[in-house]
Amino acid sequence: SAPRCRLDKHLFDVRVLKGEPAELSCTVSKHDVTGTWFKDGLKLTSMDGVYFEKEGLVHKLIINKVEDIHAGKYRFEGGDIKTEASIFVEDPPQVDKVLLKNLSSVPTVAKAGEKVTIKIPFEGRLPVRATWLKDKMELIDDTRIRVDKTETFTMLSISSSERKDCGDYKVRLKNDSGVLEINLKLVVIDKPQPPAGPIKIVESSANDITIQWNPPKDDGGKPVQSYIIERQRVGKSDWVTLGETPKSCTTFTTNKVEQDVSYYFRVRAVNAEGTSDALESDEVKAVSKASPGAPDPPEIVSASRDTITISWKTPRKTGSSRIVGYIVQKRKKGTTTWLPVNNVPIADRKLKMTNLKKGLQYEFRVAAVNAAGIGDASEPSQPVFARDSTKSPGQVQDLKVSSSDSTSVTLTWKRPEAEDGSDVKGYEVEMRSSNNLNWTKCNALPIEVTTYTVKGLLAKERYFLRVRALNDSGPGEAAELEAFIKAAAPVVPPRFLIDDTVKSFLVIKAGNTVRVNIPFEASPDPVVTWLKDGLPLPDQATVHTKDGTTQLLIGAAEFTDTGTYTIELQNGLGKRETFSFQVQVTDIPQPPGPIQLQENVPNTVTVTWMPSASEKWESNLYYTVLKRESQKGLWHVVGDLIYTNKFTFTKLIPGRDYYFRVVAKNSLGASGPSETVQPWRIRKPKVECQVKPQIYKGVNQNQPPRFLVPLKPHVVTTGSECRMSCAVGGHPSPKVTWYKDNRDLSSDPSYFCTNDFGVCSLVVLGVTKHDEGEYMAEATNEVGRAFTKAFLTIKGNS
């Protein structure tokens, strides 16, 4: 007998954009096969835009321009071969390419106060959801802003535009076939804001006044071209324009003033759109400075317990007339009240003061006097004690080396004995090497504390070091010691000592302390830097590094402390090492919102609830659904690890009352429950009296299974619920078994199967990418077998 015809190449599923061409083709092993094409189980004879071709062994079905009507399951049959595949028609949102380019590349420009309308026509499979965002926040309708959407366009209307409407906008068009995002920019131009104040009076005299201001904080979207300066005489109502300055000049001098007359000044900024409101000055008087300026601070000539002598110089600005003398003032150091030393001006520039209290510290200042009055006072002199010059301080106590390394020595000591060192002003440190007899001073200015680090020493060298106390009489007796500088420690590149105690992921309850210790080794000591999400640590975080351990401490963790923390070690040779860990700040979740119950599939109940408010900050939050069958019965878990806000319960018994409860959970625990108020009940079906028909022998009423309504292909998004249904007939009533990729789903708890008088459904809750594949419903009875197949496609949740 002749060899049977076989399929060399099967049909494959095709995804095609609406309006594009599509082709299904298969290859058989014999030339004389005349094939027949079917769509959704019906034989295809003629269909608009669909053509059949046979090229040798290849049979093709060609669609020139795919429309929604062309979606479905296609089958090719010829002789004893059969192959089938689906055409999925994708129709994502689309916008005219020229309009899209113009919107994205050319900003929309409007003048303040004008109405702005941006209309975007679109095509695509309905429903299309249109969202407008500004600076990543969704636009909500208000008194000025409105977003409209029809089945063919979306439109943004701003009734009276303002500068704050400037920014980057995004339009997101989304349907079940995809998402289109359009970025556009809106620019609103206006007159500038007033110049930034206050107006400063740079100079004022009898002849002219100079004022200064700052550029406006907002130039209205067009560069400032110039400033207009106006003047008003106090007591008058009219403003006189004095002139204009270019945009680069923010000072103005006018000589149109009269001596001893007061004025107000105001400044306006000008751009191409208009003139700003005015910035106005305080009252300004045109007067010449008649009294003298301030002298330099007085110098201390000498001091004893009875007298202090000071001297000073003539001020640089003498005013409008000759200086006739000076007034001297004194105050005790640490007080704010100045007291006069002389009431009558003295002509000399030197003064010896006797009315002083022994042992107190004083400051002095001087002001010059001329015919116009007393001028500005000088800055204070250096503080000085009223006491006799003291003897040299005693020797410092308990000098020792507190620490050292290969290049430095740190010394510590105590003050001289009280009777020898009550007036110590500081300390000096000197050093010499063992082969040098000359002492070298280490500090330029007196050291005010009792510790000092001598740096720049040589390893394996012996040094002599001495410390002396200082007062007004000079240095005291030296205390001396000898120090040997040890060899340089070997260089150890920075390295983290990470073990089981260092966690790479921490979950912290909000309000608790975050304390993380990271051990490391390095020589010399490295520079330790902490970052959070690549940026410096926030203020509430503190870092302490000591003895090979660096510690992060946050006293009371907040949700904003969640993130990736990075520690960086770097030594002087440029060697760098980093370690990162994550912190998740969380809390026991808040309860879910109200519960709703619906019977979407006969004899099941779909429980939906409003999300817990904790979903905003908790990424690992999930829900548990419980039920009980009386008001006081025990609660039983019926669904756990649910990451959506929906759950379908199928094992309902008609006539019983069901109560449901939902709790939110995370790694710290469970929230309080949200519960149904009213019970859920499915009524028992009424029992109808049926007359049993008389069965006549010899007539066989049995019928093999057949699918009255086949399965259809489904395209759903991740996380949503999918329900696949078909209808089957036959006698006796067929048993229906569901398969995915030829795997029996009967015992798989992820799927719920129902059969209501021949209407069969498979419910997949919270679909994931793993649920994608070919599903088959198989119906069998004692007379025969039938099946129907369809493909489930899962789209990402973008």
Side-chain angles (χ1 to χ4, degrees):
S1 64
R4 293 179 59 175
C5 182
R6 69 180 185 279
L7 267 170
D8 289 342
K9 181 185 168 193
H10 290 259
L11 295 179
F12 288 103
D13 288 350
V14 172
R15 295 185 175 279
V16 62
L17 284 173
K18 185 176 177 180
E20 297 288 314
E23 179 180 295
L24 294 174
S25 70
C26 61
T27 307
V28 298
S29 61
K30 296 176 75 174
H31 282 276
D32 57 352
V33 172
T34 56
T36 307
W37 289 89
F38 296 84
K39 178 180 184 292
D40 296 331
L42 299 174
K43 183 177 177 181
L44 279 175
T45 52
S46 65
M47 188 177 182
D48 283 347
V50 180
Y51 306 95
F52 312 125
E53 279 188 8
K54 178 176 183 294
E55 296 177 359
L57 300 174
V58 180
H59 294 258
K60 293 183 179 179
L61 180 144
I62 298 168
I63 306 173
N64 289 338
K65 188 178 179 184
V66 170
E67 301 293 340
D68 286 330
I69 192 173
H70 295 128
K73 177 80 86 172
Y74 290 81
R75 187 169 80 249
F76 174 81
E77 289 184 6
D80 47 9
I81 63 171
K82 182 191 298 183
T83 177
E84 58 185 22
S86 294
I87 291 180
F88 299 100
V89 178
E90 303 280 13
D91 189 10
Q94 295 185 70
V95 172
D96 177 73
K97 286 186 172 61
V98 175
L99 174 63
L100 197 59
K101 185 177 179 184
N102 286 342
L103 284 171
S104 302
S105 58
V106 182
T108 301
V109 181
K111 293 191 177 187
E114 285 184 350
K115 181 174 181 180
V116 174
T117 304
I118 304 174
K119 181 177 179 181
I120 302 179
F122 58 78
E123 297 176 347
R125 181 175 298 133
L126 300 175
V128 175
R129 179 165 184 254
T131 311
W132 288 73
L133 301 101
K134 177 179 185 286
D135 302 327
K136 300 183 181 178
M137 298 289 288
E138 185 171 351
L139 285 178
I140 308 297
D141 288 0
D142 61 21
T143 52
R144 287 191 315 112
I145 297 174
R146 176 176 167 149
V147 174
D148 291 299
K149 189 220 151 206
T150 70
E151 292 187 348
T152 58
F153 70 84
T154 180
M155 184 165 72
L156 172 68
S157 305
I158 304 176
S159 59
S160 176
S161 58
E162 299 176 6
R163 281 285 288 160
K164 68 181 181 182
D165 297 323
C166 288
D168 294 318
Y169 289 74
K170 178 178 286 197
V171 186
R172 185 178 291 141
L173 302 173
K174 183 176 182 180
N175 67 5
D176 62 3
S177 289
V179 179
L180 175 65
E181 290 192 342
I182 305 164
N183 293 305
L184 52 97
K185 189 181 284 287
L186 175 60
V187 177
V188 179
I189 55 176
D190 197 0
K191 67 181 183 183
Q193 285 188 355
I199 291 179
K200 293 180 183 172
I201 308 305
V202 178
E203 197 157 320
S204 169
S205 71
N207 304 318
D208 51 43
I209 294 174
T210 301
I211 62 172
Q212 185 182 45
W213 62 92
N214 292 312
K217 289 179 179 168
D218 181 5
D219 62 7
K222 288 285 182 105
V224 171
Q225 297 168 338
S226 62
Y227 297 96
I228 297 173
I229 298 89
E230 298 172 291
R231 185 205 73 194
Q232 182 191 54
R233 187 168 175 157
V234 173
K236 302 283 186 179
S237 60
D238 56 323
W239 286 88
V240 177
T241 301
L242 298 175
E244 279 193 46
T245 68
K247 65 179 180 183
S248 57
C249 181
T250 55
T251 60
F252 184 83
T253 301
T254 177
N255 55 9
K256 297 176 182 175
V257 293
E258 297 175 32
Q259 185 168 349
D260 296 326
V261 175
S262 294
Y263 299 93
Y264 296 111
F265 293 88
R266 70 184 185 189
V267 184
R268 300 175 191 269
V270 181
N271 71 3
E273 293 303 308
T275 303
S276 74
D277 295 336
L279 167 69
E280 209 165 301
S281 75
D282 294 331
E283 186 177 321
V284 186
K285 192 171 187 178
V287 292
S288 61
K289 181 74 174 171
S291 55
D296 289 336
E299 300 279 340
I300 307 300
V301 176
S302 64
S304 70
R305 64 181 176 181
D306 300 319
T307 63
I308 294 175
T309 303
I310 63 170
S311 67
W312 59 90
K313 295 176 182 173
T314 306
R316 293 179 188 85
K317 294 182 180 178
T318 58
S320 57
S321 60
R322 184 177 62 83
I323 291 175
V324 296
Y326 298 90
I327 296 292
V328 179
Q329 296 175 313
K330 69 180 179 182
R331 72 177 178 189
K332 295 171 190 170
K333 181 167 169 43
T335 65
T336 57
T337 305
W338 289 95
L339 301 173
V341 174
N342 59 315
N343 293 316
V344 178
I346 58 167
D348 199 0
R349 295 197 302 278
K350 188 173 184 180
L351 181 64
K352 182 177 182 179
M353 288 159 286
T354 56
N355 191 15
L356 304 169
K357 284 193 177 177
K358 178 186 173 185
L360 287 183
Q361 202 173 13
Y362 287 92
E363 292 174 316
F364 301 94
R365 72 181 186 183
V366 180
V369 182
N370 69 3
I374 300 175
D376 296 332
S378 71
E379 290 293 309
S381 69
Q382 290 289 324
V384 58
F385 281 99
R387 65 183 177 200
D388 294 331
S389 58
T390 54
K391 64 177 182 177
S392 299
Q395 191 179 44
V396 299
Q397 304 291 306
D398 200 14
L399 175 65
K400 61 185 178 185
V401 175
S402 63
S403 66
S404 68
D405 58 26
S406 60
T407 61
S408 67
V409 168
T410 299
L411 303 175
T412 59
W413 60 88
K414 293 178 183 173
R415 291 175 62 91
E417 296 291 348
E419 62 269 18
D420 293 332
S422 59
D423 58 349
V424 170
K425 294 286 180 65
Y427 303 91
E428 70 176 17
V429 176
E430 296 173 295
M431 60 160 276
R432 68 178 180 86
S433 60
S434 58
N435 54 9
N436 188 348
L437 297 177
N438 294 322
W439 290 92
T440 303
K441 210 170 187 181
C442 299
N443 56 301
L445 297 172
I447 303 163
E448 295 183 357
V449 292
T450 56
T451 180
Y452 186 77
T453 300
V454 183
K455 298 179 179 178
L457 307 178
L458 300 175
K460 301 183 182 178
E461 185 70 68
R462 191 174 303 278
Y463 289 91
F464 295 95
L465 301 152
R466 69 184 187 188
V467 178
R468 296 197 282 192
L470 305 173
N471 71 3
D472 292 338
S473 296
E477 184 185 352
E480 192 174 321
L481 57 73
E482 187 179 340
F484 181 74
I485 306 304
K486 56 192 176 186
V491 173
V492 178
R495 173 172 88 90
F496 289 100
L497 305 175
I498 304 301
D499 56 18
D500 293 344
T501 62
V502 181
K503 307 295 185 191
S504 61
F505 186 80
L506 296 173
V507 178
I508 305 291
K509 188 174 187 290
N512 284 1
T513 300
V514 180
R515 183 181 283 107
V516 181
N517 291 310
I518 306 292
F520 64 87
E521 66 175 10
S523 180
D525 287 344
V527 176
V528 181
T529 307
W530 282 77
L531 301 169
K532 176 181 179 285
D533 297 328
L535 298 171
L537 292 183
D539 292 342
Q540 67 267 27
T542 58
V543 170
H544 183 66
T545 302
K546 186 178 180 183
D547 300 334
T549 299
T550 181
Q551 182 189 72
L552 169 71
L553 181 65
I554 302 173
E558 301 175 6
F559 296 129
T560 53
D561 294 321
T562 295
T564 300
Y565 290 78
T566 301
I567 313 100
E568 180 183 282
L569 307 177
Q570 186 168 7
N571 67 11
L573 305 174
K575 177 72 175 171
R576 181 180 302 198
E577 196 75 17
T578 61
F579 173 73
S580 296
F581 62 92
Q582 286 186 296
V583 172
Q584 169 79 50
V585 180
T586 183
D587 206 344
I588 293 173
Q590 296 183 29
I595 295 175
Q596 283 191 328
L597 303 174
Q598 293 174 308
E599 186 177 6
N600 294 332
V601 176
N603 292 334
T604 71
V605 60
T606 297
V607 185
T608 58
W609 56 91
M610 296 299 290
S612 160
S614 304
E615 276 194 24
K616 292 175 187 171
W617 47 262
E618 174 58 83
S619 57
N620 295 317
L621 183 127
Y622 62 93
Y623 297 95
T624 299
V625 179
L626 306 94
K627 65 93 180 165
R628 65 181 179 188
E629 296 179 14
S630 67
Q631 264 192 306
K632 295 185 180 177
L634 290 174
W635 290 101
H636 295 282
V637 174
V638 292
D640 200 8
L641 293 172
I642 301 166
Y643 289 89
T644 63
N645 304 120
K646 182 189 288 189
F647 173 75
T648 300
F649 182 60
T650 59
K651 300 171 184 173
L652 292 174
I653 299 171
R656 286 193 187 173
D657 285 351
Y658 290 90
Y659 296 83
F660 290 92
R661 161 187 278 188
V662 182
V663 295
K665 293 181 178 178
N666 65 7
S667 55
L668 288 184
S671 72
S674 178
E675 296 182 4
T676 52
V677 181
Q678 298 297 327
W680 179 265
R681 170 181 289 196
I682 295 178
R683 299 184 187 282
K684 286 186 178 178
K686 292 180 181 178
V687 179
E688 296 179 358
C689 181
Q690 294 181 338
V691 179
K692 195 170 184 179
Q694 190 171 352
I695 298 173
Y696 296 96
K697 291 181 180 177
V699 178
N700 185 0
Q701 292 186 329
N702 289 355
Q703 292 181 325
R706 72 187 189 284
F707 281 94
L708 309 172
V709 179
L711 287 176
K712 288 191 171 65
H714 283 63
V715 180
V716 296
T717 53
T718 306
S720 59
E721 179 181 289
C722 175
R723 184 178 294 102
M724 309 176 79
S725 299
C726 57
V728 66
H731 189 81
S733 293
K735 178 193 175 190
V736 176
T737 309
W738 289 86
Y739 298 86
K740 175 183 179 286
D741 298 330
N742 297 321
R743 180 172 67 85
D744 190 342
L745 302 179
S746 304
S747 58
D748 192 327
S750 305
Y751 302 89
F752 298 109
C753 314
T754 62
N755 185 346
D756 296 304
F757 308 108
V759 176
C760 305
S761 296
L762 176 73
V763 180
V764 189
L765 297 173
V767 299
T768 68
K769 197 68 181 170
H770 298 299
D771 294 315
E772 186 168 86
E774 186 177 64
Y775 286 77
M776 180 176 81
E778 180 189 56
T780 56
N781 64 9
E782 58 197 40
V783 186
R785 167 181 176 273
F787 66 88
T788 175
K789 295 181 180 179
F791 202 86
L792 172 59
T793 303
I794 311 300
K795 289 175 68 67
N797 209 354
S798 59

